[in-house]
Amino acid sequence: MNWVILIIAGLFEVGFASCLGKAKETTGTESYLWYAGFLVCLTISMVLLMKATQTLPLGTAYAVWTGIGAVGTVLMGIFVFNEPATFWRIFFICTLIASIVGLKAVSN
């Protein structure tokens, strides 16, 4: 169950990074709403990470959390913010995913 919580925490990390990207593109009230979304996602992500690390090894949990956030944020950048999807970006995203799966496989 704590792995599911950790995955959800990682998805909220993607959410807070994406909110920052959208806030940068907007002005006025809309920008403040994106910053509010950032704070909500940040809070939820941290609380869930804290809950997951109560039973999972801290180093593994943190690496998986940041990995999910990194992969998700890069994919959001490609699909939402029209960032380039070059061969090397995709290659290194795949190696990051393989590393995350490997860490989960060797954890208790």
Side-chain angles (χ1 to χ4, degrees):
M1 182 64 182
N2 282 314
W3 284 106
V4 173
I5 291 171
L6 185 62
I7 290 168
I8 294 169
L11 294 175
F12 274 101
E13 183 183 7
V14 174
F16 75 71
S18 299
C19 285
L20 282 179
K22 292 301 279 184
K24 186 173 69 171
E25 295 178 350
T26 60
T27 59
T29 304
E30 187 178 359
S31 178
Y32 292 124
L33 290 173
W34 284 111
Y35 285 123
F38 163 78
L39 290 174
V40 168
C41 288
L42 176 68
T43 302
I44 293 170
S45 182
M46 292 296 161
V47 168
L48 292 175
L49 176 63
M50 182 178 62
K51 175 127 177 75
T53 58
Q54 290 174 349
T55 57
L56 299 175
L58 179 62
T60 301
Y62 183 75
V64 169
W65 178 75
T66 57
I68 292 168
V71 169
T73 302
V74 168
L75 293 176
M76 284 291 289
I78 290 169
F79 293 115
V80 176
F81 298 107
N82 298 316
E83 294 177 358
T86 64
F87 168 79
W88 289 112
R89 287 186 88 184
I90 302 302
F91 173 78
F92 286 117
I93 289 171
C94 290
T95 60
L96 183 55
I97 292 168
S99 297
I100 293 167
V101 171
L103 279 172
K104 193 218 180 275
V106 299
S107 294
N108 301 7

